[in-house]
Amino acid sequence: MSTIRMAPAALLAIALAALAQGQQIPFQLLLTQGKNAITIQNGATINFNAETGQTQTASLMATFNGSGQAVISAAPAVIGSTAFTATIAGAPLTLNPGESVTMALQFAPTSATQSSAFISLGFTQSVPGTGTNPPTVTTGAISASALGTAPQFVESYILQSDQNVVPLQPGGTVAFPPTLINTTAQAAFSVTNTGSGAGTIASISIAGGAFHLTNVPLLPATIPAGQSLQVLILYKPATLNSDTGQLTVTFGSGSPLTFNLQGSGSSSTFTYQVLTNPPVTVKPGGTISLPGTNIGQTSSVAIQVFNSGNASGAVNLINLSGGQGFQLSGVPPLPQTLAPNAGLTFTVTFAPAQPGVLTGTLIINSDVLNLSGAGLGPQLQFSYSAGGTTITLNSTNSSVFFSPVQITQSAQLNLDVKNTGTQAATISNIGVGQNNSPFSLTGLPSLPASLAPGADFQLAITFTPVVLGVSNGTLLLDNVTIGLVGSGTQPPPLPTYTISGLSGTAAPASQPSVSLTLASPYPVALAGTLTLSVVGNPSTDPSVQFATGGRTINFTIPANGTNAIFGSQGTQIGFQTGTVASTITLTPAFTTQAGNVDLTPSPPVALQSTIAAAAPTLVAIQLLNQAATGFTIQVTGFSTTRALKTWTVQFATAPGFTMPTSQFSIDVQSVSKVWFGSAASQNFGGQFTLSVPFTFQMSGSGAQNPLKSLASVSVTMSNDVGASNSVTATVQ
């Protein structure tokens, strides 16, 4: 059965309806209901609205406006519903014009059905006679119709899940079905006015953290008969526990009604177990520890996803994120719906590729489980300090970097080799991977070296640059390669040097020696080249060259030494000056021996020597083709001007012989021009060989072999500068 609750209307409406047979009476009628007052006609209808068990009152004041007197001799009569009463005070009453009587009206319904009654208050009017007119007496009644209504409220709710209307008794319960946590269920709560009059709802409130109201209209609100007010009750559970609350409805008057609210959360709750003996439960955010595993081997654990909740749930995702060495297998096709108390199983495999503790993340739906496993084996970690900062080498930074170092200087960095693994490491070979490298190692341990977990040792790496710019190398520790990078900067300047052993003028066809000396020692070994250059006019002598051949010769200067060493020639090198007037220049060039870094000053200091133009020099004389009547004189020599003018021959006779003319001069300019102008002469510089045949004839008695009369022959030659030395040959 529905609960009936009556409530008064907030404001009574006054309906005036004149009776069809309304009686005209000598009274003015004023009806007062609450704060409202209105003049009505006799026989009008007065409307009442009150809740069952409550009362509503009104007063009807009748003011006599007739003539004479009006007498009310009896109490009002009420015909109809007993819910109405009418009373006056002090009957019988006599009213003079202008005087009033007030009738108290009351409506006290006992049910919500409509009630009606007829209220009548009789009177007698007496008017005295005047003159010939006799007195008159008339009777009448003050009357009104009463119409009473009462509201009646019935409460019910409709669950969104089933749309069935459920009636509610006071203190009853709105019961929500199990609801997934963090989702919302709703119920439409209705208050329906099934009475005959309007009622007022003053407020609707709710208590209980999981319950909320929505769609609440502006209150207080008047609900006409036959209409409803509806609000939504929202239930949003946060846990699997039961939730309770209370809904309170307050009417315009009377006691409020309360209703209980009840619901419970439901969810698929996944728990995770590592199926060891015994199984280990891991909460989201917890860690699954896999057994320590040797590098190159594997270990695995079985993981069960179990639905310990009270609702089915879907496993949509099983995945690994981050970390290395972890793998999944046996994962069923997803999504998988697990009923309460159902589960699924898969395997996590640990295959470490390096020693140490490795971590990963296992993601199941939105839950995160940490993975941890120890790889068993050695692990070498390399680090070095530079500029006050310790730098650890890794896959993205696998080289040792030196700050720039001046050539001739060295820098050293200490490389720390530490075993951060879980087992001892053995190192059999340590070295620099390149020959003649600017990088070198000191402080090597005895090999093979065993390095316990957590132990370390240091290697001293020295960088001695020999070239400008970047130098690269590699440090090898068994199969580990570490890059070595350094940069060489400009070496210190070369000290001044001196080329000595030759004056400003040199003799032709000579072989002087020179030496090269630094003013101070240089810290690294030097290599150099001494270049001989010749300038002459009109040509030069190709025989001008070093004793070793050619016009260049290499030399070295040992580290911290000062004297140039010209190979097997030692600290001095000879050269030929040639036989042509010319200027000879000796120019050195210097580099570092190891890196070929140029140290030659600009401009370099050179040594110049001059072969001056001079008179011819005769080197040898020969008498060729000697016969009874003559011979040929052949003279060898050189002329630094590459020119000859005169050939002079002086014959000396044997004792007892005379020659009419013993000296002969021959102009040889034309012959000289032919020789020195020929291509063949270019390879001989200023050298020449001149042959002149002579024929002799004896006169007088007892003529003999002419040659017997000659003792010797002397020759001189001249050029534009002067005459040569004399060379003499004995006549055989």
Side-chain angles (χ1 to χ4, degrees):
M1 297 294 294
S2 298
T3 299
I4 300 176
R5 182 70 179 176
M6 306 299 294
L11 178 65
L12 292 176
I14 301 175
L16 300 179
L19 293 175
Q21 294 84 20
Q23 182 183 15
Q24 297 295 323
I25 61 174
F27 285 90
Q28 182 179 359
L29 303 180
L30 179 66
L31 177 66
T32 301
Q33 287 180 301
K35 296 180 180 180
N36 297 319
I38 189 171
T39 300
I40 65 173
Q41 294 180 357
N42 193 38
T45 298
I46 303 174
N47 291 323
F48 291 86
N49 188 51
E51 68 174 78
T52 302
Q54 301 293 320
T55 61
Q56 184 184 13
T57 61
S59 64
L60 180 61
M61 185 176 67
T63 302
F64 179 56
N65 58 2
S67 302
Q69 290 182 328
V71 177
I72 299 174
S73 58
V78 177
I79 302 172
S81 173
T82 60
F84 297 97
T85 60
T87 61
I88 61 172
L93 296 173
T94 300
L95 302 176
N96 294 313
E99 293 180 341
S100 302
V101 62
T102 299
M103 185 166 40
L105 307 177
Q106 180 176 290
F107 175 57
T110 58
S111 70
T113 59
Q114 182 174 289
S115 302
S116 63
F118 181 77
I119 301 171
S120 176
L121 180 63
F123 66 89
T124 300
Q125 181 181 9
S126 298
V127 179
T130 58
T132 60
N133 295 324
T136 59
V137 177
T138 59
T139 60
I142 302 170
S143 63
S145 295
L147 183 64
T149 58
Q152 176 177 280
F153 290 109
V154 176
E155 293 77 24
S156 63
Y157 69 92
I158 301 174
L159 292 174
Q160 182 187 29
S161 59
D162 58 21
Q163 295 298 306
N164 293 323
V165 177
V166 180
L168 274 175
Q169 300 292 333
T173 300
V174 178
F176 286 86
T179 303
L180 289 175
I181 61 174
N182 297 320
T183 64
T184 301
Q186 67 181 35
F189 174 77
S190 296
V191 180
T192 303
N193 186 355
T194 60
S196 58
T200 299
I201 297 178
S203 66
I204 301 177
S205 61
I206 200 166
F211 301 94
H212 304 277
L213 284 177
T214 186
N215 291 351
V216 179
L218 183 64
L219 299 178
T222 298
I223 311 300
Q227 295 190 21
S228 299
L229 183 145
Q230 188 179 78
V231 296
L232 290 180
I233 304 173
L234 303 183
Y235 172 52
K236 186 177 182 180
T239 66
L240 296 180
N241 298 326
S242 296
D243 296 298
T244 59
Q246 192 173 68
L247 179 70
T248 301
V249 181
T250 303
F251 300 94
S253 63
S255 300
L257 295 182
T258 59
F259 304 92
N260 296 317
L261 303 176
Q262 183 176 342
S264 62
S266 68
S267 176
S268 56
T269 301
F270 292 130
T271 58
Y272 309 104
Q273 282 191 329
V274 181
L275 299 182
T276 54
N277 187 15
V280 176
T281 299
V282 182
K283 295 181 179 181
T287 299
I288 298 173
S289 298
L290 285 94
T293 306
N294 290 329
I295 305 303
Q297 298 181 1
T298 63
S299 62
S300 61
V301 293
I303 308 296
Q304 183 186 63
V305 181
F306 183 77
N307 184 1
S308 59
N310 56 8
S312 296
V315 178
N316 298 305
L317 174 67
I318 299 177
N319 196 14
L320 290 175
S321 175
Q324 295 181 351
F326 299 96
Q327 301 172 352
L328 292 178
S329 61
V331 177
L334 300 178
Q336 285 277 325
T337 299
L338 298 182
N341 299 318
L344 63 82
T345 303
F346 60 92
T347 300
V348 175
T349 299
F350 179 45
Q354 61 186 30
V357 176
L358 303 179
T359 59
T361 302
L362 174 62
I363 301 174
I364 304 175
N365 287 350
S366 60
D367 290 336
V368 175
L369 305 177
N370 298 312
L371 300 175
S372 178
L376 303 180
Q379 172 78 20
L380 294 181
Q381 175 183 283
F382 305 95
S383 63
Y384 67 97
S385 295
T389 301
T390 299
I391 301 168
T392 301
L393 303 184
N394 50 44
S395 59
T396 59
N397 178 23
S398 59
S399 295
V400 175
F401 290 87
F402 286 82
S403 297
V405 179
Q406 185 183 43
I407 294 176
T408 72
Q409 300 297 315
S410 296
Q412 180 176 295
L413 292 175
N414 292 323
L415 179 70
D416 185 75
V417 182
K418 184 175 183 179
N419 182 7
T420 60
T422 57
Q423 295 176 345
T426 300
I427 303 173
S428 300
N429 297 286
I430 302 175
V432 175
Q434 295 75 33
N435 294 325
N436 301 319
S437 173
F439 302 96
S440 60
L441 303 177
T442 55
L444 272 68
S446 298
L447 299 176
S450 179
L451 201 58
D456 67 342
F457 65 84
Q458 290 193 338
L459 296 175
I461 307 173
T462 301
F463 173 50
T464 306
V466 295
V467 296
L468 290 172
V470 175
S471 296
N472 292 286
T474 52
L475 170 62
L476 303 178
L477 295 94
D478 289 342
N479 61 343
V480 177
T481 300
I482 297 174
L484 302 175
V485 182
S487 176
T489 62
Q490 189 68 36
L494 188 74
T496 58
Y497 59 87
T498 302
I499 304 174
S500 57
L502 185 66
S503 63
T505 301
S510 63
Q511 293 184 339
S513 294
V514 295
S515 61
L516 188 151
T517 305
L518 298 179
S520 60
Y522 198 74
V524 297
L526 301 177
T529 301
L530 186 62
T531 300
L532 187 155
S533 60
V534 184
V535 177
N537 186 17
S539 62
T540 60
D541 189 344
S543 67
V544 178
Q545 55 185 284
F546 288 109
T548 54
R551 292 186 176 180
T552 60
I553 187 168
N554 297 327
F555 63 85
T556 60
I557 301 176
N560 299 309
T562 57
N563 295 322
I565 299 174
F566 299 93
S568 62
Q569 302 295 311
T571 58
Q572 290 191 334
I573 182 64
F575 69 94
Q576 297 183 131
T577 59
T579 56
V580 178
S582 56
T583 298
I584 299 174
T585 303
L586 294 172
T587 305
F590 301 87
T591 64
T592 57
Q593 190 174 45
N596 200 32
V597 178
D598 188 11
L599 296 173
T600 305
S602 179
V605 177
L607 177 65
Q608 284 190 343
S609 182
T610 301
I611 308 300
T617 297
L618 301 183
V619 177
I621 183 172
Q622 287 183 292
L623 300 180
L624 304 177
N625 303 322
Q626 294 187 43
T629 58
F631 50 77
T632 297
I633 302 174
Q634 179 178 284
V635 177
T636 301
F638 60 86
S639 173
T640 59
T641 63
R642 285 179 59 84
L644 297 172
K645 292 181 65 177
T646 304
W647 162 296
T648 301
V649 179
Q650 178 69 49
F651 292 98
T653 59
F657 293 90
T658 63
M659 292 183 66
T661 301
S662 61
Q663 182 174 312
F664 300 90
S665 293
I666 304 172
D667 185 349
V668 294
Q669 290 186 83
S670 59
V671 175
S672 171
K673 288 181 179 179
V674 171
W675 165 245
F676 287 115
S678 68
S681 71
Q682 297 302 315
N683 292 327
F684 295 94
Q687 297 180 67
F688 62 86
T689 298
L690 184 59
S691 299
V692 178
F694 283 87
T695 301
F696 301 95
Q697 186 176 23
M698 296 293 292
S699 61
S701 59
Q704 302 179 32
N705 182 346
L707 297 184
K708 297 294 186 180
S709 62
L710 297 176
S712 63
V713 177
S714 297
V715 177
T716 63
M717 300 188 72
S718 67
N719 57 16
D720 290 338
V721 178
S724 71
N725 60 305
S726 174
V727 291
T728 301
T730 300
V731 179
Q732 301 298 326

